[in-house]
């Protein structure tokens, strides 16, 4: 079986799940964003009323609202998308575990196919990365829809120009969600690869050693996350923090990949 056949099969099985998640992401973000923008509009009306002027005259004397000003002051819509991103990270479990359960137990067919078992691993890794690149696109589409909502709800003249561009450049919240530069994109991609490798250790260890493996995998992931959080609470210069984060990602990605390779090749049996 060719590598692309593995990828195509995984994509077909994950697409219904993704469609549901992305519909929830869009509906939730737009509902929350509508509430945030509506509150801003109500505040403008209130301030205009208190100033004793018409709304048109009042808004002519204020700074236009940017997407950055609205979402950085009330980041609940961004936090909602961040929760969606965390759920998508757990899709790594779905990509692996769906093979062992159900009527077909497809994993046993895959393991019996001649050739390297790493094809199974890399096909799921590629699909995992495609999920997040698609998610980044969904986030941008939602921001784009949000700009139309701002212009429709807020009074004329109160919405700034270049909403999305300025948001990506100046927002303090969007870097948690989207890569806003090439270097950030490379780091987020490496980070996602590390997360998938770590989830693979948990799943493959669980499938080879059952409860002991599952507990060991949880300890490994939990310890790694705790180490990463602790490392980022230390006072370091920006360059030092960046170098340390890259070192952490590379080391844990390599260790997790080697452990996954060993478990898949030696411990997971048909």
């Amino acid at each position: 079986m060719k590598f692309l056949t593995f990828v195509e099969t995984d994509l077909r099985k994950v697409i219904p799940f993704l469609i549901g998640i992305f519909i929830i992401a869009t509906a939730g973000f737009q509902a929350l964003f509508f509430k945030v923008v509506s509150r801003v509009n109500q505040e403008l009306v209130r301030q205009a009323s208190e100033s004793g002027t018409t709304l048109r005259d009042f808004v002519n004397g204020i700074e236009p609202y940017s997407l950055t000003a609205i979402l950085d002051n009330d980041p609940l819509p961004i936090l909602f998308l961040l929760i969606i991103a965390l759920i998508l990270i757990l899709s790594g479990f779905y990509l692996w575990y769906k093979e062992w359960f159900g009527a077909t137990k497809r994993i046993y067919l895959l393991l019996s196919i001649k050739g390297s078992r790493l094809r199974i691993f890399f096909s799921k890794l590629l699909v995992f990365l495609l999920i997040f690149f698609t998610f980044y696109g969904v986030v941008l589409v939602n921001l784009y829809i949000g700009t139309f909502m701002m212009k429709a709800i807020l009074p004329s003249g109160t919405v700034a120009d270049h909403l999305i561009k300025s948001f990506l450049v100046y927002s303090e919240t969007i870097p948690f969600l989207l890569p806003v530069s090439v270097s950030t994109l490379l780091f987020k991609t490496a980070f996602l690869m590390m997360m998938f490798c770590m989830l693979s250790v948990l799943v493959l260890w669980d499938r080879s050693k059952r409860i002991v493996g599952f507990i060991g995998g949880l300890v490994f992931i939990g310890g790694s996350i705790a180490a990463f959080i602790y490392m980022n609470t230390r006072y370091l210069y920006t360059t030092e923090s960046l170098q340390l984060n890259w070192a952490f990602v590379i080391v844990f990605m390599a260790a997790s990949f080697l452990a996954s390779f060993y478990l898949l090749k030696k411990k997971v049996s048909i």
Side-chain angles (χ1 to χ4, degrees):
M1 186 182 291
K2 295 181 180 180
F3 173 72
L4 289 180
T5 305
F6 285 96
V7 175
E8 181 185 355
T9 304
D10 281 327
L11 276 175
R12 282 202 308 265
K13 292 196 173 185
V14 81
I15 282 175
F17 166 76
L18 288 182
I19 291 174
I21 289 293
F22 291 153
I23 288 174
I24 292 172
T26 300
F29 177 86
Q30 297 303 329
L32 292 171
F33 188 70
F34 175 80
K35 290 183 178 180
V36 171
V37 177
S38 295
R39 282 199 295 267
V40 172
N41 183 59
Q42 292 170 3
E43 182 64 17
L44 285 173
V45 172
R46 184 189 66 80
Q47 290 179 3
S49 176
E50 291 179 351
S51 66
T53 62
T54 64
L55 181 60
R56 176 175 294 182
D57 291 337
F58 178 77
V59 299
N60 286 335
I62 65 173
E63 190 77 18
Y65 281 92
S66 66
L67 199 57
T68 307
I70 289 179
L71 285 178
D72 279 16
N73 287 330
D74 194 341
L76 189 58
I78 296 295
L79 290 176
F80 177 78
L81 290 180
L82 187 59
I83 292 172
I84 296 294
L86 294 176
I87 292 174
L88 288 177
I89 287 179
L90 297 180
S91 66
F93 282 114
Y94 177 74
L95 283 168
W96 274 117
Y97 270 123
K98 69 181 177 62
E99 309 289 9
W100 267 279
F101 299 99
T104 60
K105 292 183 171 57
R106 179 173 171 268
I107 190 64
Y108 299 112
L109 172 62
L110 297 178
L111 293 174
S112 65
I113 296 174
K114 291 183 179 180
S116 174
R117 290 183 173 182
L118 277 180
R119 291 179 300 175
I120 305 172
F121 177 90
F122 284 122
S123 69
K124 297 184 186 304
L125 172 59
L126 180 58
V127 171
F128 185 73
L129 293 178
L130 288 174
I131 287 172
F132 274 89
F133 285 123
T134 305
F135 172 70
Y136 295 152
V138 170
V139 172
L140 289 174
V141 168
N142 272 281
L143 292 177
Y144 188 70
I145 295 172
T147 62
F148 285 99
M149 188 181 297
M150 282 181 63
K151 293 174 182 178
I153 295 176
L154 297 180
S156 177
T158 59
V159 179
D161 297 324
H162 311 297
L163 291 172
I164 294 180
K165 181 179 179 180
S166 63
F167 183 62
L168 296 178
V169 173
Y170 298 111
S171 172
E172 296 180 357
T173 59
I174 198 61
F176 292 102
L177 195 61
L178 277 179
V180 293
S181 66
V182 175
S183 60
T184 307
L185 175 62
L186 292 175
F187 179 77
K188 284 187 177 294
T189 302
F191 186 84
L192 289 171
M193 292 172 65
M194 179 198 71
M195 290 301 301
F196 179 81
C197 291
M198 293 171 66
L199 291 173
S200 298
V201 171
L202 172 58
V203 174
L204 295 172
W205 205 352
D206 167 57
R207 291 293 87 194
S208 59
K209 295 295 183 181
R210 305 302 177 182
I211 187 65
V212 174
F214 185 76
I215 294 174
L218 285 179
V219 171
F220 173 67
I221 292 179
S224 302
I225 293 174
F228 185 78
I229 293 174
Y230 172 77
M231 190 177 67
N232 280 274
T233 59
R234 307 293 294 172
Y235 178 76
L236 298 170
Y237 292 109
T238 302
T239 54
E240 293 175 335
S241 178
L242 182 61
Q243 292 170 357
L244 192 59
N245 283 336
W246 266 109
F248 178 91
V249 167
I250 291 172
V251 169
F252 275 84
M253 179 169 57
S256 300
F257 171 75
L258 292 174
S260 297
F261 173 68
Y262 172 76
L263 290 168
L264 189 58
K265 185 176 182 180
K266 300 292 186 181
K267 296 297 181 181
V268 177
S269 57
I270 300 176

